[in-house]
Amino acid sequence: LLVMLDELSPVPYHEQLSNILREQIASGAIEHRVPSLSTLSQEYGVSRNTVIHALATLESEGLIVTVQGRGTFVVKR
Amino acid sequence: LLVMLDELSPVPYHEQLSNILREQIASGAIEHRVPSLSTLSQEYGVSRNTVIHALATLESEGLIVTVQGRGTFVVKR
DNA sequence: GAGAATTTGTACGTATGTATG
DNA sequence: ACATACATACGTACAAATTCT
């Protein structure tokens, strides 16, 4: 169920992760809340900073919003 | 001539820097090429990562483009 | 209300890789 | 080949906001 990152791919981790999450949002697999930074970091085996990078991409695309102290959420459209 | 960052400000460094650069682009003080990461890092006394953060903001706004190995450039409009 | 736990935000230093000149 | 310049990624530390006990 959990798509893992490919360390041999030329696509960087942060981009692989944003691609995965974008797809999960599009498919409805993630409906409301995006897992926390720590959770994503552990599940995908990348650093917290890398997760932040991935989420920043999705936020700049307007797909999610992050709220300090609360979490990260899918933008309804 | 060089506006320095305010360490007491609640506005984070990366945002102060992106604000400064945005203004310099708008005013024409930076016409074509944005100083290198190392230059900005040294001049403003912040880390390379912080400069990258600031530039990423401007790039997401479409104001600049960064090209690996070449540099960072103002987008003509 | 107080305190702890959770969660995102900022920032640094470091290392290595990739692309250009 | 060498220097320059951006790209990715890690670990770490602390701050700020929210939520839970």
Side-chain angles (χ1 to χ4, degrees), chain B residues 12-15 45-47 49-50 53 68-70:
Chain B
Y13 286 156
H14 72 84
E15 191 175 331
V46 293
S47 75
N49 287 341
T50 299
H53 195 165
Q68 187 172 1
R70 298 205 343 109

Side-chain angles (χ1 to χ4, degrees), chain A:
Chain A
L1 40 138
L2 186 62
V3 178
M4 290 311 290
L5 305 188
D6 179 3
E7 61 181 342
L8 301 180
S9 168
V11 180
Y13 287 156
H14 72 84
E15 192 175 330
Q16 291 187 47
L17 180 54
S18 61
N19 289 342
I20 290 171
L21 295 174
R22 194 183 298 102
E23 175 56 34
Q24 291 183 349
I25 291 171
S27 73
I30 298 181
E31 281 194 354
H32 178 51
R33 178 169 197 165
V34 178
S36 73
L37 296 181
S38 329
T39 300
L40 291 173
S41 173
Q42 289 176 27
E43 284 187 348
Y44 289 95
V46 293
S47 75
R48 210 170 148 278
N49 285 341
T50 298
V51 176
I52 289 175
H53 193 165
L55 295 185
T57 299
L58 300 178
E59 184 155 29
S60 77
E61 295 171 2
L63 294 179
I64 61 174
V65 288
T66 63
V67 185
Q68 187 172 2
R70 299 211 340 113
T72 303
F73 307 92
V74 175
V75 172
K76 305 295 185 224
R77 52 182 313 282

Side-chain angles (χ1 to χ4, degrees), chain B residues 16 20 44 51 59 62 73-74 76:
Chain B
Q16 291 187 46
I20 290 172
Y44 288 95
V51 176
E59 185 155 27
F73 307 93
V74 175
K76 305 297 185 215

